[in-house]
Amino acid sequence: MPDPESSQTLESLLNVVEKFPPPKKLKEQAWVKSNKIYEKAKRDPEGFWAEAAEILDWFKPWSKVLKWDPPDSRWFIGGKINASYNCLDRHVKTWRRNKVAIFWEGEPGDRRVLTYSDLYREVNRFANVLKKMGLKEGDRATLYLPMIPELPIAMLACTRIGVIHSVVFAGYSAKALQERLRNAEARLLITANHGYRRGKKIPLKKNADEALQDAPTVEKVIVYQRSDELTPMKNGRDFWWHELMQTVPPKCDPKPLDSETPLFTLYTSGTTGKPKGIVHVNGGYLVGTAITQKWVFDLKDEDVYWCTADIGWITGHSYIVYGPLAIGATEVMYEGAPDYPQPDRFWEIVERYGVTIFYTAPTAIRAFMKWGEEWPKKHDLSSIRLLGSVGEPINPQAWLWYRSTIGGGKCQIVDTWWQTETGMILITPLPGVTVLKPGSATLPFPGIEADVVDEKGNPVPPDRGGFLVIKNPWPAMLKTLYRDPERYRRTYWTQIPGAYFTGDGARKDKDGYFWIMGRIDDVMNVSGHRLGTMEVESAIVSHPFVAEAAVVGKPHPVKGQSITAYVMLRRGVKPAEGLKDDLKKQVRKEIGPIAVPDEIYVVEKLPKTRSGKIMRRVIRALISGQELGDITTLEDPSAVEEVRKWLKTVE
Ligand code: PRX
């Protein structure tokens, strides 16, 4: 395990100067007005979560809140629930039936407005389509779709009949899709002919066809027609979404599912080359996302909420699909890039729909800063009353800019720390009670016990760096890794005694506020996307000329981290012109454009331990100008000079 103290990510980030208490008006009307809630939840966490679970409609009440047999948790035992019922049916029975659920905007400028009734109808029909395709409870369907309403529709249709969905981000390559289809043993793939990104058509169906060349479990493919362009359809395997929808009855009863039945799997990067299939279940996940959606964003029926994430990641699952729809919110969903056709696209959307709550990532905020204030200034953003941040540490400068330029100097910012694995936000302000410090995710949500500890699990003193851990179970926690329970146990529950290991470094200040410093394992965070160094390395090494590669994240002013690769060629191979471009292409093909390194250096040696493990820590320290720490285990110290040499050439 890495040493958090020596990690470059753990330097003290700043001296806080200013604090931001909640304005009186916000406090008065917030769902949570008093910090007594923390005490209450601490005294009786199970009672607290039981009360939280009342935010949902259950077909059958649970008999016990929690069975905790570390690392296995079972929540709301015996309860029967259905996510699609909670997100739709219960709203269409009330005045919300014609309330807008989703204001959708496509990148080319097409718009759709879906009320809760509209969504309900689409989901019912599509659930019948899934049945018609022969799918039943427990089967897996993989969704490889752009940010169009059909993505949440397909997800909710799956949950309606107990099919486990596995969404694959539409920016992933055919190869990455194939790996995920194979691991999930998906029976069905749902995709579109195209998606749009920065004005270009992304050929999703073409990628899908390539992936399906070796994904033997997939029997059928449903294709949504996003553009007029036709795509080859394989007879008996491929079906058009719109044609199937006309062949099925309009209603499909939601299936009461046990709280602990899987709701979805979502792949995320870890410290090996193989992505992990995180498994979330119906009951606890929905309770966790619904209550945090309501309290952290202080979301009311009259709000227009916009989370700019992609549903291909956990943020979109929890805070575009399940959280907002479970509580009957009105939200905005946008398909494309923030700077298409111009850098004010987001602000144009905020103005058009009167967005009141805006949730985005620090990398986006830093890009907005770079593009300049003139873009937001062109629009009326006065409707915004609360801002959110997620995905990586937000530097105080970006925090202050966000508050003044986007929030008009009047909005609180909820900096929410969580992970694919945690399912729900775990460390965050509550906007009506928490005094904010720019750059800090502040305090654990009520009922959550987080800490910063050393390797043995002992709390470290205030303002000292250590490992961020969670000490008690929470409802939306991951259940396991799909088909790999042993890796689940090993990755999260063996590194620090008695606690969930997050992989993040952090410090706690004297007021108990958490300052997240970023990953201390071999995981990078590039523009808010989580990528494993080994995943990128194995993509590079799959090139026939490459013997070995070491990939590290390098601090980057906009992206948070950028990818740098050091590559050793096979014996006898000379670094030819165009090799670096070939390697970039290789990564694009194996994973997708998000994983392409910014910089590639061909070297003759890599710093390794005597047992042959690449010491990425050493390279990371070198490229970010930090202390090297203990390098006595290095097999050949001259490798350090080799890396340093390349740094000099670029400086
Ligand atoms: O390093 C932390 C960072 O993102 C990681 C989780 O990545 P992922 O599973 O892709 O989920 C991202 C969206 C929830 C964490 O281990 N991270 C997430 N939120 C924050 C953060 N780092 C600092 N501050 C945050 N608010």
Side-chain angles (χ1 to χ4, degrees):
M1 186 146 62
D3 170 10
E5 278 293 307
S6 73
S7 165
Q8 46 106 359
T9 53
L10 280 184
E11 90 207 80
S12 275
L13 278 178
L14 75 162
N15 293 313
V16 187
V17 278
E18 212 177 340
K19 293 183 188 175
F20 294 85
K24 192 160 164 265
K25 211 171 124 213
L26 175 66
K27 203 179 170 96
E28 276 168 8
Q29 57 83 60
W31 285 121
V32 186
K33 296 185 177 60
S34 150
N35 55 16
K36 290 202 180 96
I37 194 74
Y38 291 100
E39 239 343 277
K40 185 177 164 190
K42 197 169 184 176
R43 263 200 318 273
D44 177 16
E46 288 186 29
F48 170 77
W49 293 119
E51 221 171 279
E54 283 169 22
I55 197 171
L56 301 176
D57 284 5
W58 297 78
F59 294 124
K60 185 178 162 229
W62 62 89
S63 54
K64 191 170 162 45
V65 176
L66 170 68
K67 187 159 182 293
W68 179 224
D69 187 8
D72 299 315
S73 70
R74 290 177 63 211
W75 282 89
F76 308 112
I77 296 162
K80 298 261 187 224
I81 194 164
N82 184 283
S84 125
Y85 179 90
N86 272 280
C87 292
L88 302 169
D89 305 44
R90 66 172 181 153
H91 303 315
V92 300
K93 288 182 188 162
T94 70
W95 66 270
R96 289 198 187 99
R97 72 177 67 89
N98 288 323
K99 186 184 175 191
V100 172
I102 299 176
F103 287 113
W104 176 81
E105 199 161 308
E107 196 186 71
D110 40 345
R111 294 180 205 160
R112 288 161 68 186
V113 177
L114 289 101
T115 63
Y116 274 93
S117 295
D118 294 330
L119 260 190
Y120 171 82
R121 278 190 291 270
E122 298 290 319
V123 168
N124 269 267
R125 271 196 196 273
F126 198 67
N128 280 330
V129 166
L130 296 175
K131 279 188 179 166
K132 191 174 170 166
M133 296 276 114
L135 265 73
K136 49 185 190 334
E137 186 181 336
D139 285 341
R140 271 87 48 217
T142 294
L143 281 49
Y144 183 58
L145 284 164
M147 280 286 286
I148 52 176
E150 281 63 30
L151 178 48
I153 288 167
M155 291 162 80
L156 292 172
C158 287
T159 70
R160 200 160 182 86
I161 60 170
V163 166
I164 304 167
H165 61 70
S166 163
V167 178
V168 176
F169 173 57
Y172 275 125
S173 68
K175 204 65 195 289
L177 171 64
Q178 182 178 74
E179 189 177 0
R180 287 157 179 77
L181 283 167
R182 288 177 67 101
N183 185 277
E185 295 171 315
R187 290 188 62 200
L188 176 73
L189 171 63
I190 305 169
T191 188
N193 57 347
H194 288 109
Y196 289 97
R197 189 76 190 173
R198 278 205 180 84
K200 278 207 236 123
K201 280 191 187 149
I202 312 294
L204 296 177
K205 174 63 165 50
K206 188 170 157 269
N207 290 350
D209 284 336
E210 216 179 300
L212 289 171
Q213 283 172 11
D214 195 12
T217 59
V218 179
E219 299 155 33
K220 301 212 162 80
V221 181
I222 301 177
V223 186
Y224 181 78
Q225 194 173 350
R226 173 75 185 102
S227 70
D228 292 342
E229 221 165 289
L230 288 177
T231 178
M233 298 287 275
K234 189 168 169 188
N235 217 345
R237 188 196 71 180
D238 301 351
F239 302 85
W240 288 109
W241 175 299
H242 59 274
E243 287 180 6
L244 289 173
M245 288 291 260
Q246 285 166 13
T247 64
V248 290
K251 286 267 171 78
C252 169
D253 284 339
K255 192 164 189 188
L257 298 167
D258 190 274
S259 299
E260 283 291 318
T261 47
L263 176 65
F264 65 84
T265 62
L266 181 62
Y267 288 88
T268 189
S269 299
T271 53
T272 75
K274 247 182 79 186
K276 308 180 277 197
I278 306 293
V279 178
H280 283 293
V281 298
N282 277 274
Y285 173 80
L286 212 57
V287 170
T289 50
I291 193 71
T292 46
Q293 183 78 62
K294 182 168 168 174
W295 285 8
V296 172
F297 298 98
D298 189 40
L299 216 155
K300 309 281 166 43
D301 264 316
E302 5 354 329
D303 278 309
V304 178
Y305 161 84
W306 183 17
C307 166
T308 70
D310 192 293
I311 294 175
W313 312 111
I314 193 68
T315 307
H317 279 61
S318 300
Y319 298 109
I320 298 179
V321 183
Y322 292 107
L325 299 177
I327 65 167
T330 293
E331 64 178 328
V332 169
M333 184 175 163
Y334 168 57
E335 180 186 32
D339 54 350
Y340 186 85
Q342 294 202 109
D344 63 343
R345 186 64 186 270
F346 273 17
W347 318 126
E348 191 188 308
I349 294 175
V350 166
E351 184 172 10
R352 181 159 29 254
Y353 302 102
V355 169
T356 58
I357 303 171
F358 181 74
Y359 188 32
T360 197
T363 184
I365 298 166
R366 291 190 296 261
F368 302 144
M369 288 170 77
K370 201 176 98 186
W371 296 336
E373 292 204 342
E374 65 265 32
W375 297 104
K377 289 255 147 69
K378 276 178 191 244
H379 297 275
D380 177 7
L381 306 182
S382 61
S383 56
I384 298 180
R385 69 175 190 92
L386 185 68
L387 296 167
S389 170
V390 61
E392 34 171 338
I394 177 164
N395 45 313
Q397 196 199 1
W399 195 103
L400 293 166
W401 184 92
Y402 193 30
R403 185 174 185 277
S404 64
T405 308
I406 307 305
K410 65 180 192 312
C411 297
Q412 294 296 90
I413 300 175
V414 287
D415 174 2
T416 60
W417 177 91
W418 58 296
Q419 307 177 300
T420 308
E421 290 86 343
T422 70
M424 62 188 269
I425 293 167
L426 292 191
I427 303 181
T428 178
L430 290 175
V433 290
T434 314
V435 177
L436 306 177
K437 299 185 189 183
S440 168
T442 73
L443 301 165
F445 189 78
I448 305 298
E449 238 184 276
D451 209 349
V452 178
V453 300
D454 65 17
E455 225 161 8
K456 295 202 179 73
N458 302 313
V460 300
D463 282 326
R464 284 277 301 280
F467 301 106
L468 177 66
V469 294
I470 312 295
K471 291 192 156 168
N472 61 348
W474 63 99
M477 65 197 289
L478 77 162
K479 281 296 119 121
T480 186
L481 296 180
Y482 192 66
R483 298 200 309 167
D484 204 350
E486 174 44 32
R487 187 174 173 197
Y488 163 69
R489 198 188 60 78
R490 202 175 57 239
T491 309
Y492 303 106
W493 299 98
T494 58
Q495 315 230 24
I496 304 283
Y500 167 82
F501 176 63
T502 62
D504 277 349
R507 70 181 169 90
K508 231 165 64 166
D509 70 17
K510 291 189 182 64
D511 301 327
Y513 277 44
F514 285 75
W515 298 80
I516 314 293
M517 308 296 186
R519 304 289 306 198
I520 38 86
D521 53 7
D522 289 324
V523 170
M524 297 173 289
N525 195 330
V526 181
S527 301
H529 298 314
R530 179 166 159 182
L531 284 165
T533 49
M534 286 195 207
E535 222 176 324
V536 183
E537 282 164 10
S538 61
I540 296 175
V541 171
S542 68
H543 189 282
F545 288 0
V546 176
E548 268 186 293
V551 164
V552 291
K554 177 177 172 183
H556 186 278
V558 175
K559 297 177 177 185
Q561 284 186 308
S562 67
I563 305 177
T564 303
Y566 293 88
V567 172
M568 262 167 62
L569 300 180
R570 283 182 192 274
R571 196 170 301 177
V573 176
K574 291 270 173 302
E577 188 142 341
L579 175 71
K580 288 183 189 175
D581 286 341
D582 284 353
L583 294 179
K584 288 184 181 178
K585 268 191 219 137
Q586 183 79 8
V587 176
R588 187 180 284 267
K589 186 169 145 254
E590 294 284 319
I591 307 175
I594 50 166
V596 174
D598 280 6
E599 295 162 61
I600 298 180
Y601 302 108
V602 177
V603 293
E604 275 160 26
K605 284 178 204 161
L606 288 170
K608 284 189 190 168
T609 61
R610 273 175 219 116
S611 56
K613 264 176 77 173
I614 296 172
M615 290 181 78
R616 289 184 200 79
R617 174 176 69 75
V618 171
I619 306 177
R620 262 199 311 258
L622 280 169
I623 62 174
S624 50
Q626 306 284 316
E627 292 287 317
L628 283 189
D630 179 11
I631 51 166
T632 48
T633 52
L634 262 183
E635 181 211 17
D636 176 1
S638 68
V640 170
E641 285 319 307
E642 175 79 15
V643 173
R644 221 194 284 271
K645 186 173 90 193
W646 283 104
L647 292 174
K648 288 215 180 89
T649 354
V650 269
E651 269 160 13

